[in-house]
Amino acid sequence: MTSAVEFINVSRHFGPVRAVDGVDLTIPEGAFFAMLGPSGSGKTTCLRLISGFEAPTGGAIRIFGQDVSAVPPNRRNVNTVFQDYALFPHMSVRENVAYGLQMRGVGRRLREARADELLEMVKLAGYGDRKPGALSGGQRQRVALARALINEPRVLLLDEPLGALDLKLREAMQDELKALQARLKITFVFVTHDQGEALSMADTIAVFSEGKIAQIGTPSDIYDRPQTRFVADFVGSSNVLSPDQARAVGGPARWCSLRPEALRLVAAGGKIAGQVQALRYLGAGTRVVVGTPGGEMTALLPAGGAVPAPGTPVALDWDANALHVMEGEA
Amino acid sequence: MSRDAILPVRGLGDRLTGLFWRHPGLMVALMLALPLGWLVLVYLGSLAALLVQSFFSIDEFSGLIRREFTLSTYAELLRAQNLDIILRTVTMAAAVTLGCAVIGFPIAYFAARYARGGWKALFYLGVMLPLWSSYLVKVYAWKLILAREGIITWATGATGTTPVLEAVLAIPVIGGVSLSTSYIGTWSVFVYVWLPYMILPMQAALERVPNSMLEASADLGASRWQTFRTVVFPLALPGIIAGSIFTFSLTMGDYIIPQIVGSSRRFIGQAVYQLQGTAGNIPLAAAFAVVPIVIMVIYLTIARRKGAFDAL
């Protein structure tokens, strides 16, 4: 399988700020690739390095094997769905979608017919004559998507594509994007700070922290087998155990992580004793914060079971194989 | 700390706030009363008076104004010498507007897209500074710069570029004996004096174009020129139109610049000045004054039809 995008020791420094710092990355063709991280972690800069809006201060970027260091954005066969959609307010929806073809010199009739096809694909048939200002957020998102796809890019970049949508719409769009990607077989690269979105949509996730990639792998790699404390905490708020704590509960003397849903509350026995400190009702379950001699630990109890009141002394137990050793921590 | 659900009234401010809260229209009415009174009575009133005057005529023997409705004053506008004045003024106004737009755009673009912090302050200072000194002082200063014995003549002599200046002055119609008596000179001063009025609205319009829109255009394959033509220019157009309203109408109404820097060929402003002063022909002066208004209305109508305000 060829690689769609390749970063070789890529850096992007803004003066003293190392937005991207020595990143090596390979995005295989046809992947649905997520760049996940908190704001300021360098994920958006990486996306802009692919589209060409930023130039690396070090290293090389290859798109389908070709070095793009000296290629401006308009000559990269890569298109972007912008976070604010960046639709042209003075053009109709159809003109917006047809813009990419217009810039290539395709005649009006042909490009508008193609634009209508794409509008139909994103379920906006009949909206061509409207102005973007007359559309809802979700509709604008679809227009932006259609516009970015009209040039049949080899890589589609999506910058926080669902960030501005409400929950219901976000979930619907997640499914649609996934289906669209499966159908078009274009490499999708999307940036998000929402770990749930990354886990549910991507087939590969790169977790960014302070300009570097903290971990790269499949969603279950990232979620079940975090390699660093940062990943364990950022993706799903795992309990992190120091080497001493891990040894105290019968594990190896290494940094370990424990998923909240792997913890059980038991009346007596268990691996560690504590006291319930706080509860957070989540609907599908309840998050229980338990104070233990080694610090707070969080357990996620499924809905329907008994939930102890704050102040209740409890013990925590888990299956031995739930304790995961983080290889990335010394 | 009071534990009541309603806090006590602290004075007149709270009382008024309560009054305005209960009657939202009251505040708007108070706010608009004075400016609206001014606008309707003083501003539109005088405009109406002007319009009415233009439909009167002057008795050629007595020199008295005949207060009867007639179109004869407007017919007089169509005489060759008066049409000349109108045509000359409109052409100059259009040339000045174009000049201001072409010179002002890069400055406005730089200020809107690149200037940050100190540079932005410097931009505003640079654009506004000329407005701090008297208009007359600037115009006379330009006369000194452009005159036959002025700085430009001296500078071309010192650098051996006199033939260039002579070639420019030899251009028919817009050239002349010296820069200060040619259309080139008049145009230069107009452009200089009205430039800030073009730059500021243009800069405001460009500032509202988000960077991502330019990036989206490049992302979709547009060259810099294509992006300018299809995205930047249409989005800046309302600002350019706003600026051109200033430069166009200010040029059409001005009578000082062409008098100080120019030839004896008159502009509308000068015609109005002379007609209402020495000649005492108020109706014709009024009719002349209506011309720029009519032209502006036509201009804005065309601009609107062409979709210049679609991006607003």
Side-chain angles (χ1 to χ4, degrees):
Chain A
M1 195 152 54
T2 46
S3 56
V5 179
E6 232 179 314
F7 275 36
I8 300 140
N9 194 24
V10 170
S11 295
R12 178 64 173 105
H13 298 173
F14 298 95
V17 180
R18 298 168 169 221
V20 174
D21 198 18
V23 165
D24 284 296
L25 179 68
T26 303
I27 302 175
E29 184 175 7
F32 202 128
F33 192 92
M35 294 180 173
L36 175 66
S39 57
S41 60
K43 57 190 193 308
T44 299
T45 309
C46 272
L47 199 78
R48 293 170 62 80
L49 284 164
I50 303 173
S51 55
F53 301 129
E54 299 288 349
T57 45
I61 298 170
R62 295 203 191 113
I63 300 177
F64 285 92
Q66 287 181 295
D67 190 345
V68 292
S69 302
V71 181
N74 61 323
R75 286 184 41 233
R76 298 187 186 195
N77 201 355
V78 163
N79 287 122
T80 309
V81 176
F82 288 82
Q83 186 173 13
D84 62 354
Y85 314 140
L87 299 177
F88 306 125
H90 57 297
M91 298 181 193
S92 70
V93 165
R94 184 180 294 109
E95 286 169 331
N96 263 284
V97 176
Y99 190 79
L101 292 179
Q102 187 190 348
M103 293 304 106
R104 288 184 172 189
V106 176
R108 178 178 289 273
R109 192 186 297 250
L110 213 61
R111 67 176 189 248
E112 295 200 334
R114 181 80 185 113
D116 282 339
E117 279 173 37
L118 275 149
L119 281 172
E120 203 176 310
M121 184 183 79
V122 297
K123 298 181 186 135
L124 280 177
Y127 284 81
D129 293 322
R130 299 203 192 178
K131 286 279 168 74
L135 300 184
S136 71
Q139 290 168 333
R140 279 182 223 182
Q141 155 97 69
R142 288 154 192 272
V143 176
L145 192 62
R147 185 178 68 170
L149 286 170
I150 201 161
N151 279 353
E152 295 170 8
R154 303 215 49 190
V155 181
L156 183 75
L157 308 175
L158 304 109
D159 187 5
E160 301 269 1
L162 310 175
L165 305 181
D166 58 54
L167 184 66
K168 201 84 190 153
L169 209 53
R170 200 154 61 213
E171 284 172 352
M173 273 312 280
Q174 283 182 9
D175 294 340
E176 269 183 55
L177 279 176
K178 194 90 186 113
L180 197 66
Q181 198 260 347
R183 187 145 60 89
L184 298 173
K185 297 187 173 59
I186 293 174
T187 310
F188 276 34
V189 180
F190 80 106
V191 155
T192 181
H193 64 267
D194 180 335
Q195 30 96 7
E197 200 170 290
L199 291 171
S200 69
M201 285 165 74
D203 46 42
T204 314
I205 298 174
V207 184
F208 280 76
S209 170
E210 291 171 354
K212 295 185 196 305
I213 293 181
Q215 188 174 348
I216 190 162
T218 65
S220 85
D221 281 342
I222 301 288
Y223 190 81
D224 297 328
R225 294 176 287 282
Q227 284 173 4
T228 68
R229 280 184 275 169
F230 172 79
V231 175
D233 183 53
F234 185 72
V235 186
S237 1
S238 272
N239 296 296
V240 173
L241 278 69
S242 71
D244 288 343
Q245 288 170 302
R247 203 174 41 206
V249 297
R254 303 281 306 272
W255 283 95
C256 291
S257 71
L258 255 178
R259 286 284 153 205
E261 59 272 29
L263 298 187
R264 292 188 302 270
L265 296 189
V266 290
K271 292 196 166 59
I272 194 164
Q275 196 179 30
V276 175
Q277 286 187 338
L279 299 173
R280 212 166 110 213
Y281 182 64
L282 301 173
T286 305
R287 211 171 256 279
V288 183
V289 180
V290 179
T292 71
E296 285 181 357
M297 291 183 77
T298 308
L300 184 66
L301 302 185
V307 176
T312 315
V314 289
L316 290 165
D317 199 10
W318 58 84
D319 296 341
N321 62 5
L323 191 70
H324 165 71
V325 178
M326 293 190 281
E327 303 294 340
E329 297 287 344
Chain B
M1 192 74 195
S2 164
R3 302 288 301 148
D4 291 339
I6 297 170
L7 302 176
V9 172
R10 284 168 303 177
L12 187 64
D14 276 357
R15 239 180 278 278
L16 280 176
T17 304
L19 184 68
F20 290 144
W21 180 77
R22 283 188 292 274
H23 308 281
L26 191 64
M27 173 118 157
V28 181
L30 275 176
M31 223 160 51
L32 289 181
L34 191 66
L36 221 80
W38 173 268
L39 202 70
V40 171
L41 289 174
V42 181
Y43 205 78
L44 292 179
S46 49
L47 216 70
L50 179 82
L51 201 67
V52 169
Q53 294 274 4
S54 70
F55 288 109
F56 294 159
S57 62
I58 196 151
D59 190 301
E60 295 202 6
F61 297 106
S62 62
L64 293 175
I65 294 165
R66 221 182 289 131
R67 297 180 185 276
E68 288 162 27
F69 177 85
T70 171
L71 288 173
S72 66
T73 312
Y74 280 102
E76 211 167 314
L77 274 185
L78 299 176
R79 276 204 214 150
Q81 61 182 60
N82 290 339
L83 264 185
D84 251 14
I85 292 175
I86 292 170
L87 199 66
R88 179 179 302 126
T89 310
V90 172
T91 310
M92 178 58 81
V96 168
T97 299
L98 197 67
C100 284
V102 169
I103 295 170
F105 194 89
I107 302 172
Y109 192 83
F110 167 79
R113 301 232 74 89
Y114 296 100
R116 293 284 171 272
W119 281 103
K120 196 144 227 164
L122 200 68
F123 158 78
Y124 280 117
L125 198 68
V127 172
M128 305 291 265
L129 200 60
L131 298 177
W132 295 0
S133 61
S134 158
Y135 161 84
L136 275 178
V137 170
K138 285 182 287 183
V139 177
Y140 275 109
W142 270 98
K143 189 167 182 75
L144 293 181
I145 294 169
L146 298 172
R148 204 170 171 72
E149 309 78 20
I151 295 167
I152 289 184
T153 313
W154 170 82
T156 52
T159 55
T161 49
T162 307
V164 177
L165 179 63
E166 279 170 359
V168 169
L169 287 175
I171 300 172
V173 185
I174 64 166
V177 181
S178 75
L179 284 174
S180 65
T181 55
S182 67
Y183 281 142
I184 297 175
T186 318
W187 178 83
S188 308
V189 179
F190 269 133
V191 168
Y192 170 81
V193 170
W194 306 141
L195 195 57
Y197 299 95
M198 179 60 101
I199 291 178
L200 291 176
M202 247 184 341
Q203 185 247 358
L206 285 168
E207 201 124 274
R208 292 208 326 235
V209 181
N211 224 8
S212 63
M213 221 159 270
L214 307 190
E215 289 182 346
S217 176
D219 187 73
L220 291 162
S223 64
R224 288 287 170 103
W225 169 244
Q226 283 175 315
T227 300
F228 173 80
R229 208 164 42 82
T230 56
V231 178
V232 178
F233 183 74
L235 291 177
L237 200 55
I240 298 173
I241 301 277
S244 70
I245 294 171
F246 287 124
T247 57
F248 205 81
S249 58
L250 285 170
T251 307
M252 277 200 296
D254 195 273
Y255 66 98
I256 293 175
I257 289 173
Q259 191 163 317
I260 297 172
V261 182
S263 58
S264 56
R265 295 167 294 204
R266 290 187 302 162
F267 285 78
I268 288 180
Q270 290 165 289
V272 172
Y273 179 70
Q274 286 162 7
L275 283 169
Q276 62 84 37
T278 43
N281 191 344
I282 300 281
L284 188 55
F288 258 121
V290 168
V291 172
I293 299 172
V294 171
I295 290 172
M296 286 314 292
V297 169
I298 295 170
Y299 171 63
L300 289 179
T301 310
I302 294 173
R304 210 177 77 96
R305 284 262 172 83
K306 294 269 177 201
F309 305 116
D310 286 4
L312 277 183

